[in-house]
Amino acid sequence: MEFTLTTTIKATAKQIYKSWLSTQGHTKMTGGVAFVSDKIGDSFTVWDGYITGANVALEPYNRIVQSWRSSNFEDHEDDSQIEVILNEGDSETKLTLIHTNVPESGEHYKKGWSEHYFEPMKHYFELLNKA
């Protein structure tokens, strides 16, 4: 299974990219404890260890590709992959998330991305950019 989600966030592509790949930034923008890196091949854990993976490809301020699995994945299931594409406009950035190789039971991840990433990120960057 795979799906594509899009949202717009009132932040620069650089702000989103740097926050996604920073332990402090990722934790602040999602509200879940994260340990991440901005180096290809490095592993990460987010949402208190619920999600794990590694950086596969990084194009600064444009694209992030990561292997991704939640603790709900069965042992025999391969990691899925996320691709985050950032397209900056005038005062906001369009974020496109492509999630591939998702287990058939993973329909709920669509809602999870919205509730646990997109909504908290919008709120975080709105407050950050008001200051």
Side-chain angles (χ1 to χ4, degrees), residues 22 33 38 43-44 47 49 55 62 68 81 85 113 128-129 131:
S22 141
V33 175
D38 62 357
S43 60
F44 67 86
W47 280 104
N55 295 330
N62 294 307
W68 191 100
Q81 179 173 285
I85 301 166
W113 281 111
L128 182 72
N129 290 322

Side-chain angles (χ1 to χ4, degrees), residues 4 6-7 22 29-31 37 45 48-50 52 65 103 106 108 114 124:
T4 300
T6 59
T7 190
S22 141
M29 77 176 187
T30 63
S37 163
T45 64
D48 304 311
Y50 172 69
T52 59
V65 180
H108 65 282
S114 180
Y124 170 73

